[in-house]
Amino acid sequence: MNEHVVVAGGGIGGLACALALARAGVSVDVLEQSSAFGEVGAGLQLGPNAVRVLHAWGLTDELQACAAFPEVLRVRDAHGGQRLGQLRLGAMALARYAQPYATLHRADLHGLLLRAVQQESVVRLRLNTRLAAYEQTPDAVRVTTENDTVLVGQALIGSDGLWSRVRAQMLGAQPVRASGHLAYRGLVHRDDLPAAQRDNVVTAWLGPRLHVVHYPVRGGKWFNVVAVVHGVLGQGHGGSLGNDPQSWSHEAQAADLKRALGPACAELMAMIDAVKGWKLWALNDRAPMTRPAEHVQGGVALLGDAAHPLRPYLAQGAAMALEDAWTLGRLRAAEPAAPVDWPALLARYAQTRWQRNARVQRRSQRNGTIFHASGLLRWGRNTAMALLGEGLLDIPWLYEGPSDPLSL
């Protein structure tokens, strides 16, 4: 074992990257700035493309143990309550894509990846360690941490999120882009919901300048609820509790959310009322990728949100990080055991990934406009869903992925 890679960030993307590379025979140092490994946030959705990656890593049983597998996605009007469209999931997703559609708690996905990584003897997990800077040499990358530790690897993978330090050094200081949207998130136990709200389904409520999504997690015992509204932290949302855009931990008031939702239908309000506590965070992103150099430069690569942060309107943030990691592992596993040209391998990774990631970024942004539409656009959206049915909600080009880099 003479190949070594440093991974900055111990979230979902960083652990997935470490697992993929370790399985391909590479030793890895994972740098995590926190004092313990964990994941903030609440639920997430994994389309068949993401589940396919976990299956390839032999994690199907672990996913089955903690996820829910909804039968259908229902789209409804937030104000009137009427059904606008639906997409069959469950057995239909399995038949179409050979993998199911899953919903789970972020911490559960992070936990199953962490347990898998801990079984790999070639991975070293370093807590309380944050990258300060890096320096590229002709055949290595030298990484310095905030506690003055120096690590040398053949490559550095920046999986350190939206506010990535690796990205800042690689591409220069680039402020994130504020979406003008805020997300309220909460969890509610299934037994605390009205009977009509306990179905094993994903429900998306669309309204002018807002939408709400809820779905089962933790094997269906809990439901994740996310309400996205237009607004700014500290201006009617969050009050004096702080406006740090990097925080996922703002306490939120149900009254603020209800005011933003306006005249929502009774069934939606019953779901909102069942949530006992809310957290609030501002949604930020970056413009879609435009070239492979935004993914990789030399022996340094970006993965997940560090490269292509997504708005949550396509439910693909975690999935794209998993796909990135799988692609890296697949490329390395295909190389001979002899010393690898890491800049060349990473360049191939960038060529494989950047266009798909950019497409998902654009589609996510467009979905936000469609979800929150009013006037003629809202009428056109509702009419299209009624006429086109599942064909409008299904996304074969996305769910059939990821593309095998060895066949491109």
Side-chain angles (χ1 to χ4, degrees), residues 3-10 13-14 17-18 21 26-32 124 126 129-146 149-161 164-171 292-304 306-307 324-325 328 340-347 349-350:
E3 280 188 272
H4 185 72
V5 168
V6 179
V7 174
C17 181
L21 292 177
V26 180
S27 71
V28 183
D29 266 303
V30 178
L31 314 184
E32 169 53 44
R124 181 170 181 177
R126 295 174 175 267
T129 306
R130 190 180 190 189
L131 178 143
Y134 69 82
E135 177 186 1
Q136 294 205 60
T137 67
D139 56 359
V141 181
R142 178 186 173 93
V143 175
T144 304
T145 70
E146 286 187 340
T149 299
V150 175
L151 302 167
V152 178
Q154 278 72 50
L156 166 65
I157 313 298
S159 304
D160 46 346
S164 168
R165 287 192 172 185
V166 179
R167 180 191 179 99
Q169 182 171 339
M170 188 174 103
L171 300 177
E294 294 176 30
H295 241 316
V296 168
Q297 292 189 10
V300 180
L302 300 177
L303 182 149
D324 283 353
L328 269 177
V340 172
D341 183 341
W342 275 93
L345 186 150
L346 294 179
Y349 157 75

Side-chain angles (χ1 to χ4, degrees), residues 40 140 151 240 363:
V40 296
L151 302 167
S240 61
R363 180 66 176 261

Side-chain angles (χ1 to χ4, degrees), residues 37-53:
F37 283 98
E39 184 63 59
V40 296
L44 51 79
Q45 303 176 59
L46 294 181
N49 54 311
V51 176
R52 186 170 293 110
V53 169

